[in-house]
Amino acid sequence: MADSHTKDAFVEFDRVQKSYDGENLVVKDLNLSLPKGEFLTMLGPSGSGKTTCLMMLAGFETATHGDIRLDGQPINNIPPHKRGIGMVFQNYALFPHMTVAENLSFPLEVRKIPKTEREAKVKQVLELVQMGEFGGRRPAQLSGGQQQRIALARALVFEAELVLMDEPLGALDKQLRETMQFEIKRIADDLGITVVYVTHDQTEALTMSDRVAVFEDGRIQQLAPPDELYESPQNSFVAQFIGENNTLEGTVKEIKNGIALVQLDGGGLIDCKPVNVTKAGERTRVSIRPERVEFNKDRLSAEAHTLKAEVLEFIYMGDIFRTRLRVAGKDDFIIKSRNAPDQVRLEPGSQVEIGWMAEDCRALDA
Amino acid sequence: MLTTVGGKPLKEALAHAQSRAKRRAFLLVLPLLAFIVVSFIFPIGQMLYKSVSNTGFTISKDFGTGVSTPIMTNLAEWFEENPQGTDPDETAYAALAADLLVLRELKAPGQAGTRINYELSGSRSMFTKAARKAKKLAPPFKESIIDLDEDWADPSLWQAMRTASSAVTVNFYLAALDRKRADDGSVEMVPENRQVYVTLFKRTLILSLMITVICFFLAFPIAHLMATLPMRKSNLLMILVLLPFWTSLLVRTTSWMIVLQSQGVLNDAMVATGILADENRIQMMYNQTGTVIAMTHILLPFMVLPLYSVMSMINPSYVRAARSMGATSWTAFRRIYFPQTVPGIGAGALLVFILSVGYYITPALVGGADGQLISNLIAFHMTKSLNWSLAAALAAILLGAVLLLYWLYDRLIGIDNLKLG
């Protein structure tokens, strides 16, 4: 990636590789650097190498090749307890035989911080996560969300500048997860800490992060801020993985004035923005977001290419309408339209013409 | 008020339905309950009763007809009328002579003599001899009885008969603690050369504790290894741990004898390699060493299994979390991992300790003279000396000690913390 080896990098992965068995690389050539205070999310399906990266940073796994630097210092040979990195685990890992206060005081005790100071810090961090009166409880007496807060507090209490989070919200229900996303983001911003967050939930990644690194097959497929990731995916994996997406396959017919004309396999010609295609004759997979598809003829420009489509299904979802159509021989094409007073509800069985702005339709790798 | 469709009060109907369900559930456990009462609670009750009651000097039972006849009634009457410390006078000897005559008719002098023999060894034959000649006894009875054997005048004999004349006694507990009644009825220690039981109780407790501690130190690493290895390897280890269970106890004990005896495999190997001179062969068998080694081996799985089951439940992320918070691996082990294994340690230790306290066959085979445990003595009194009351008293003390330990464990660690698997 272009922005590695920068001078102000706080955390830096430099050509890092990892193999468990000596045959397969779980992490292949990872280059990543993040400045102080950034909230970076590693997003990817399971087995994509994101958790391994986190464990290498925490010191529980060693890199087979390459350097990991923290604040400019290589940390490959520093044991985990000397790295001073806070960590929140997937199952929280709150010590069951200690009370909440003892859990929070543990990292301070091993740092030989005097008792009065310890108590003050524990109190302070409990206030921070709004759990002030729970110090005397055992972890088992707390709800999932409360345990989550304590786990977060424990990673923060010794004032680590870097906090790693390994799918910390995985065990919570949807509503609580959303509250906690907001909460974690707020605390991270308030304290100015650097966070590396691992998740397979793309909504979480998009809502919380400054930048998202999409992992697949041991590599970062794209590293970008959430809006860029969503609107300008660099390849078809990212396009597929982030958000809902319609894909059509075809061959590039010509590229002219920054617009690629693509002949679809199922019939029809469309205008796309060439991203991974450079010349006519290349195979491509075009990607278009459901909410960027237009079926109102008046709103389409006259010269734009359109496709014929048959409405198969109309689903009312409250805030939006979700319409499934058959387009170019494929019957999983989705349109999302806002539930506005003047919105048209497409009738199943009817024929419509659909189109889009050329820049919303990205011609990616096949 | 809520009612059912039929108009009955809902609460009543509910209670009725529930009590029927409870009765049916109780029927399910009834066979087991009956089995436990018959095979466990009843025998233990019998044993405890035997330890405080011995009818050898009060009732004679004819096992042919099933008739029980009281014996020694005249003597018992005299003991009742004359308090402790009264010298036996002519009336006492007359009562004894009358009772001896009854014994002779009932063919019971051996039984009565045995009972007195428990308290004062060597007195059984006096009863059989005197009963044989009971018919020839004539007044003055005191002289004629003492003529038979001058030991009849021994005050300790009269003290023994006084206690035995009542079936209920704590003397067997006194004996089990190396104590006896003095001639005046007070409690004193038995002569030093006859003190065995207290030493044996102490030895049993110390050896059991030693075996438990050794088992713990041997089992902890292996259980940890099993809990952290991948499934396939840990299953193999588990089979190796369980392998001894599939071999007969006797075979295992015998193989230890072959390995450890002074002409055995281990000594031979050490002599052959020159580590040991031939005349310095180490005595590892027929002493406490043999008992400890063999019992540790036999009881080890009982420590490994509860430890393993607890350790396999401990998520590795606890230790990782501790490490990430700045704890060294030793601190993480001591403060985080180890405390979470305590329920397993408690269960394993309690299991091994209680089993070894009552262990019989291994010390009997490999213990020699000084490797015997209290259970070997209980067995001796059950099968050889036939002093069941004493055996029962010893067993009851052992039971009491185990219950005491259980109570202590509950107070210190909490019994709900116990995790057997």
Side-chain angles (χ1 to χ4, degrees):
Chain A
M1 293 295 140
D3 56 355
S4 71
H5 305 294
T6 45
K7 272 195 179 140
D8 61 342
F10 182 54
V11 179
E12 195 170 9
F13 285 85
D14 186 5
R15 284 179 297 160
V16 171
Q17 293 183 337
K18 173 70 184 174
S19 171
Y20 286 105
D21 55 5
E23 286 174 16
N24 306 307
L25 287 173
V26 186
V27 175
K28 305 166 182 167
D29 193 31
L30 177 77
N31 293 288
L32 175 68
S33 76
L34 53 153
K36 225 172 202 158
E38 181 168 42
F39 196 118
L40 180 110
T41 299
M42 294 177 170
L43 175 68
S46 50
S48 58
K50 57 190 193 308
T51 299
T52 305
C53 285
L54 198 74
M55 288 302 166
M56 284 195 286
L57 189 50
F60 299 121
E61 300 288 354
T62 48
T64 319
H65 178 84
D67 275 334
I68 302 171
R69 282 188 285 269
L70 182 62
D71 215 3
Q73 300 296 314
I75 54 169
N76 293 38
N77 294 322
I78 297 178
H81 67 275
K82 289 191 178 149
R83 295 192 180 189
I85 298 174
M87 186 147 181
V88 180
F89 289 80
Q90 198 167 5
N91 58 352
Y92 318 137
L94 296 177
F95 307 136
H97 58 293
M98 296 181 178
T99 63
V100 165
E102 283 166 344
N103 262 286
L104 294 176
S105 148
F106 181 80
L108 304 174
E109 277 170 48
V110 298
R111 284 181 167 70
K112 309 223 159 46
I113 289 171
K115 192 163 183 255
T116 45
E117 199 177 327
R118 272 194 333 244
E119 281 167 358
K121 282 193 173 176
V122 167
K123 195 164 174 288
Q124 193 186 340
V125 79
L126 274 174
E127 295 298 333
L128 181 71
V129 294
Q130 296 161 9
M131 293 282 289
E133 61 272 41
F134 291 90
R137 298 249 192 122
R138 298 248 166 191
Q141 295 168 308
L142 302 178
S143 71
Q146 289 169 333
Q147 290 187 26
Q148 172 57 54
R149 281 167 194 268
I150 298 304
L152 182 63
R154 199 176 57 174
L156 297 173
V157 70
F158 57 96
E159 285 157 18
E161 291 183 37
L162 175 61
V163 175
L164 311 182
M165 302 192 188
D166 184 11
E167 308 209 10
L169 305 179
L172 303 181
D173 61 56
K174 187 167 174 285
Q175 206 164 2
L176 203 52
R177 203 153 60 214
E178 280 163 8
T179 322
M180 285 309 296
Q181 285 170 9
F182 173 75
E183 190 85 323
I184 290 174
K185 181 70 178 150
R186 173 185 70 84
I187 290 170
D189 286 347
D190 283 358
L191 300 179
I193 50 173
T194 312
V195 177
V196 178
Y197 190 99
V198 162
T199 184
H200 61 257
D201 180 336
Q202 38 142 325
T203 323
E204 213 165 280
L206 294 180
T207 50
M208 296 173 80
S209 324
D210 297 328
R211 281 193 302 166
V212 179
V214 180
F215 274 69
E216 163 64 4
D217 194 27
R219 286 180 202 280
I220 294 182
Q221 302 291 334
Q222 188 169 356
L223 174 64
D227 52 348
E228 195 184 321
L229 203 65
Y230 186 83
E231 283 167 35
S232 320
Q234 289 298 314
N235 57 38
S236 45
F237 174 78
V238 177
Q240 282 297 316
F241 195 72
I242 308 289
E244 204 170 8
N245 198 50
N246 292 307
T247 341
L248 297 168
E249 280 166 27
T251 314
V252 180
K253 212 173 169 195
E254 59 166 5
I255 300 180
K256 202 169 67 182
N257 302 335
I259 290 184
L261 195 62
V262 173
Q263 173 71 53
L264 296 177
D265 294 351
L269 268 177
I270 52 170
D271 300 317
C272 310
K273 180 181 179 171
V275 180
N276 299 72
V277 291
T278 47
K279 57 180 190 291
E282 268 185 283
R283 292 288 297 162
T284 184
R285 190 178 288 189
V286 301
S287 132
I288 170 95
R289 298 282 177 203
E291 67 275 15
R292 296 291 167 92
V293 180
E294 191 52 74
F295 53 85
N296 189 338
K297 256 196 165 164
D298 306 343
R299 292 192 204 154
L300 286 169
S301 64
E303 66 271 25
H305 286 94
T306 56
L307 288 173
K308 289 208 180 324
E310 183 191 349
V311 179
L312 297 174
E313 197 178 6
F314 175 85
I315 301 169
Y316 177 85
M317 293 180 77
D319 54 344
I320 56 160
F321 303 145
R322 190 182 155 91
T323 318
R324 191 161 63 86
L325 307 111
R326 180 178 295 132
V327 173
K330 295 178 78 178
D331 50 11
D332 57 355
F333 198 94
I334 304 292
I335 299 178
K336 282 183 190 166
S337 43
R338 203 163 56 87
N339 182 1
D342 59 342
Q343 189 60 269
V344 180
R345 299 188 183 195
L346 293 174
E347 288 296 321
S350 61
Q351 300 284 334
V352 289
E353 257 180 66
I354 56 168
W356 44 75
M357 313 277 281
E359 56 264 33
D360 286 336
C361 178
R362 299 169 67 81
L364 304 168
D365 51 314
Chain B
M1 191 172 66
L2 287 172
T3 57
T4 63
V5 179
K8 268 180 25 180
L10 187 61
K11 203 172 176 182
E12 230 169 76
L14 210 59
H16 181 71
Q18 276 172 345
S19 79
R20 208 172 51 200
K22 272 184 198 154
R23 274 201 302 277
R24 277 167 57 180
F26 180 72
L27 277 181
L28 286 177
V29 298
L30 193 63
L32 179 62
L33 186 68
F35 178 78
I36 285 177
V37 167
V38 169
S39 67
F40 185 70
I41 296 176
F42 181 69
I44 284 200
Q46 277 277 299
M47 182 200 81
L48 288 174
Y49 180 69
K50 269 227 156 55
S51 69
V52 291
S53 162
N54 191 308
T55 55
F57 206 63
T58 53
I59 289 167
S60 164
K61 188 171 178 186
D62 186 327
F63 288 96
T65 58
V67 179
S68 294
T69 322
I71 52 172
M72 310 312 278
T73 46
N74 300 305
L75 208 53
E77 214 167 284
W78 185 83
F79 282 132
E80 198 141 300
E81 280 159 20
N82 297 277
Q84 184 100 41
T86 321
D87 278 331
D89 52 11
E90 176 62 21
T91 39
Y93 282 94
L96 176 62
D99 284 335
L100 284 170
L101 210 58
V102 177
L103 285 184
R104 185 189 143 91
E105 272 163 32
L106 291 170
K107 300 195 178 66
Q111 170 205 328
T114 304
R115 172 69 187 92
I116 302 305
N117 203 50
Y118 291 157
E119 314 269 336
L120 194 72
S121 49
S123 50
R124 187 177 184 272
S125 59
M126 289 164 60
F127 278 85
T128 47
K129 215 163 87 186
R132 244 196 328 272
K133 297 177 180 161
K135 273 199 173 157
K136 290 179 197 149
L137 291 172
F141 288 108
K142 183 170 181 177
E143 271 150 53
S144 55
I145 288 179
I146 292 174
D147 261 358
L148 290 175
D149 193 326
E150 59 188 26
D151 281 345
W152 281 110
D154 185 357
S156 13
L157 176 73
W158 283 87
Q159 175 57 36
M161 288 198 292
R162 181 184 280 278
T163 31
S165 68
S166 146
V168 177
T169 173
V170 294
N171 280 17
F172 294 108
Y173 281 96
L174 293 179
L177 294 169
D178 285 339
R179 281 159 177 81
K180 63 165 188 173
R181 293 250 184 235
D183 298 345
D184 60 356
S186 64
V187 176
E188 62 175 21
M189 293 293 291
V190 297
E192 210 159 301
N193 59 348
R194 310 201 57 180
Q195 295 177 4
V196 279
Y197 303 114
V198 173
T199 327
L200 261 171
F201 271 120
K202 272 190 203 150
R203 183 197 294 162
T204 304
L205 293 181
I206 288 170
L207 286 193
S208 299
L209 201 68
M210 214 153 106
I211 290 163
T212 310
V213 170
I214 296 174
C215 274
F216 165 71
F217 279 111
L218 293 179
F220 199 89
I222 188 78
H224 177 70
L225 191 65
M226 277 163 65
T228 44
L229 278 181
M231 206 52 164
R232 258 190 45 224
K233 285 181 186 163
S234 77
N235 277 348
L236 182 72
L237 269 180
M238 177 65 95
I239 289 171
L240 291 179
V241 167
L242 291 177
L243 205 58
F245 272 150
W246 304 340
T247 325
S248 149
L249 182 62
L250 216 55
V251 172
R252 276 185 284 161
T253 308
T254 319
S255 19
W256 275 115
M257 292 163 76
I258 294 167
V259 172
L260 294 179
Q261 60 189 314
S262 55
Q263 300 297 322
V265 179
L266 199 57
N267 268 313
D268 279 352
M270 286 200 286
V271 169
T273 52
I275 299 170
L276 220 61
D278 197 23
E279 62 272 18
N280 293 340
R281 284 171 181 265
I282 304 170
Q283 188 68 39
M284 288 177 289
M285 188 70 0
Y286 310 117
N287 55 19
Q288 295 186 5
T289 318
T291 304
V292 170
I293 292 176
M295 279 178 64
T296 301
H297 172 244
I298 287 160
L299 294 174
L300 197 57
F302 292 101
M303 184 67 95
V304 174
L305 292 178
L307 274 178
Y308 167 68
S309 101
V310 167
M311 286 177 178
S312 57
M313 300 299 286
I314 299 176
N315 195 316
S317 67
Y318 289 129
V319 169
R320 285 187 164 182
R323 300 270 284 147
S324 79
M325 283 180 256
T328 59
S329 44
W330 166 243
T331 310
F333 170 79
R334 192 173 52 86
R335 297 271 321 267
I336 305 305
Y337 189 77
F338 185 77
Q340 294 188 62
T341 63
V342 164
I345 297 172
L350 210 60
L351 212 56
V352 169
F353 187 83
I354 288 176
L355 280 173
S356 55
V357 155
Y359 230 68
Y360 164 67
I361 181 112
T362 303
L365 287 175
V366 304
D370 68 339
Q372 298 293 307
L373 301 183
I374 196 71
S375 47
N376 300 101
L377 229 72
I378 295 175
F380 168 78
H381 284 303
M382 293 291 286
T383 57
K384 295 275 170 36
S385 82
L386 298 182
N387 189 351
W388 285 20
S389 290
L390 182 57
L394 288 169
I397 291 173
L398 198 59
L399 180 67
V402 169
L403 287 178
L404 183 77
L405 271 165
Y406 192 76
W407 176 79
L408 266 177
Y409 181 89
D410 190 27
R411 286 295 302 272
L412 295 178
I413 300 174
I415 220 67
D416 47 346
N417 253 334
L418 204 67
K419 199 161 185 309
L420 286 169

